[in-house]
Amino acid sequence: MPSGSEFGLANLPYGIYSDNAASAGGGPRVGVRIGDSVLDLARVLADDVFAEPSLNAFMAQGRARWSEVRAQLTDLLSTEQHRGPVEAALRPLSAVRLHLPFTPGDYVDFFGNEYHAANAGRIFRPDGEPLTPNWKHMPIGYHGRSGTIVPSGTPVPRPCGQRRGSGGPTFGPSRRLDFEAEVGFVVGADSAGPVPVGAFADHVFGVFLLNDWSARDLQAWESQPLGPFLAKSFATSVSPWVVPLEALEHAWVSPPPRDPEPLPYLADAGRQGLDLALEVRLNGHRVASPPYAGTYWTAAQMLAHMTVNGAPARTGDLFGSGTVSGPDRDQRGCLLELSWGGAEPLTLPDGSVRSFLEDGDEVTISATAPAAGGGRIGFGEVTGRIRPALG
């Protein structure tokens, strides 16, 4: 493993992989990334739960089991006496195919970053208050469509739908297609009812990257008075690696100051913000570096809010942070903000200009987090390429 790898012992993210060559045998199963290789857990740990084509069965075993397996893997990968069995269970990344890491349950997307929410408010409501009256009192979210959650690398057809027109609505392919750089969280252990802020780590298995593709013209027309529908439900891309919470020990930070103080069920329980550095590339060109640490509502508060009414949290349920943005232009996590609704088009280093995504455009989101000794751990990438509208 190369020195300074973002996928060393401090990380050990989980994913689902299969061998590229049919002759290699074995269907999709659980692996852990170490350097530029994948470790076959069913083989090296002799546990059939890792022979499943999804992380769900393992995630459902709960926090004590997650810690136990991580300790086992750390020992196996750091002790010379285990070198032979470990090497026999390793496959190079170049020889495998990566899949959706878990079977999605319910999907909720939040609107938890104040910079993004305020910018969107200024764009959509230039004569009104940037934030709605409820925004600083609760994490605002909407239920997405889990059936359209796709793994990184899956092409994204341009969606069709209704748009506002001067003489009434028109129908056709979206003309204002956008990406949203987000951080995702997946529930591992069930909860039959509310999950308090302080119980977050007992239920959430890990963290991944998420691109909540958005059709802004469809969204502007249909989100009156309810939230997004067709503008969001056509595709949501997720990264192949889920970083366990224990790998983020050095990434926890205090969230931004709260004003006003949230209601008691949303009260902060220590350092539950995350210091993640995101990067967005459009056709290979870096266009944004959003900092997740400035996100107003923490993931623990999001989970507490989405279950406080008694809704259960189930293995495989996932939720997104909402677009991650910062105070500077190059920290804005979507084209809506980067081009200010199309009024300030973005010029890429190759001379091409974008207000919104064109067919053939490829968006790649990556991220890293602090590790011990000044190192970094990686989340890999979530990538998608826009295809022409279907039909």
Side-chain angles (χ1 to χ4, degrees):
M1 184 174 61
S3 176
S5 171
E6 294 177 353
F7 295 94
L9 289 175
N11 194 347
L12 303 181
Y14 294 88
I16 300 295
Y17 80 98
S18 60
D19 292 289
N20 279 335
S23 59
R29 55 202 183 276
V30 179
V32 155
R33 181 169 176 177
I34 183 76
D36 291 326
S37 299
V38 183
L39 182 66
D40 184 341
L41 295 196
R43 180 172 181 174
V44 77
L45 296 179
D47 188 336
D48 287 343
V49 77
F50 299 114
E52 296 286 329
S54 166
L55 283 168
N56 288 46
F58 171 53
M59 294 193 301
Q61 293 181 333
R63 185 177 181 181
R65 177 62 174 154
W66 308 338
S67 294
E68 178 187 28
V69 169
R70 183 171 175 84
Q72 285 180 288
L73 292 174
T74 302
D75 178 63
L76 284 169
L77 291 164
S78 59
T79 307
E80 183 65 27
Q81 72 185 70
H82 300 304
R83 183 168 182 171
V86 166
E87 288 186 346
L90 285 172
R91 297 285 291 150
L93 276 175
S94 59
V96 304
R97 178 186 175 193
L98 301 176
H99 303 271
L100 200 64
F102 50 84
T103 301
D106 285 324
Y107 165 45
V108 175
D109 194 56
F110 283 96
F111 193 39
N113 182 281
E114 184 175 359
Y115 296 106
H116 171 65
N119 283 339
R122 293 183 183 104
I123 293 168
F124 289 131
R125 301 182 301 276
D127 298 323
E129 290 294 323
L131 298 177
T132 55
N134 59 354
W135 197 91
K136 286 198 171 182
H137 292 278
M138 63 180 179
I140 296 172
Y142 70 91
H143 280 271
R145 190 169 181 174
S146 59
T148 57
I149 293 170
V150 296
S152 175
T154 303
V156 178
R158 183 176 296 272
C160 292
Q162 289 192 25
R163 306 178 300 258
R164 179 186 286 109
S166 57
T170 62
F171 178 85
S174 172
R175 297 168 182 163
R176 295 165 68 89
L177 186 57
D178 202 355
F179 62 82
E180 289 192 347
E182 301 196 21
V183 176
F185 304 84
V186 61
V187 172
D190 287 354
S191 171
V195 178
V197 167
F200 173 78
D202 293 327
H203 295 277
V204 169
F205 175 74
V207 185
F208 56 95
L209 300 177
L210 183 150
N211 186 341
D212 184 34
W213 305 95
S214 301
R216 301 299 187 186
D217 43 354
L218 277 56
Q219 181 180 359
W221 173 241
E222 72 182 4
S223 296
Q224 300 178 20
L226 299 181
F229 183 32
L230 300 184
K232 301 275 192 174
S233 65
F234 59 96
T236 300
S237 300
V238 301
S239 57
W241 301 111
V242 180
V243 175
L245 290 190
E246 285 189 65
L248 297 171
E249 175 185 0
H250 298 276
W252 298 108
V253 294
S254 297
R258 310 308 172 83
D259 184 19
E261 284 294 318
L263 293 173
Y265 80 94
L266 291 172
D268 288 314
R271 291 157 59 89
Q272 290 187 311
L274 277 173
D275 181 14
L276 309 184
L278 279 67
E279 180 177 280
V280 183
R281 291 185 176 271
L282 176 55
N283 298 333
H285 306 294
R286 185 174 65 182
V287 295
S289 299
Y292 187 71
T295 296
Y296 191 89
W297 293 108
T298 68
Q301 290 170 318
M302 293 174 189
L303 181 60
H305 185 66
M306 65 189 260
T307 58
V308 73
N309 66 346
R314 301 175 299 170
T315 301
D317 285 355
L318 69 149
F319 56 100
S321 62
T323 301
V324 181
S325 292
D328 301 326
R329 182 177 181 179
D330 66 355
Q331 296 177 328
R332 299 172 183 173
C334 62
L335 281 173
L336 176 72
E337 295 176 80
L338 287 166
S339 74
W340 208 252
E344 302 172 7
L346 184 69
T347 300
L348 301 179
D350 63 2
S352 59
V353 177
R354 292 290 186 279
S355 292
F356 293 96
L357 296 172
E358 298 183 2
D359 291 349
D361 282 349
E362 182 178 71
V363 179
T364 299
I365 303 167
S366 58
T368 63
R376 308 288 296 182
I377 63 172
F379 286 72
E381 298 178 343
V382 57
T383 298
R385 185 182 296 273
I386 304 302
R387 285 188 173 174
L390 298 175

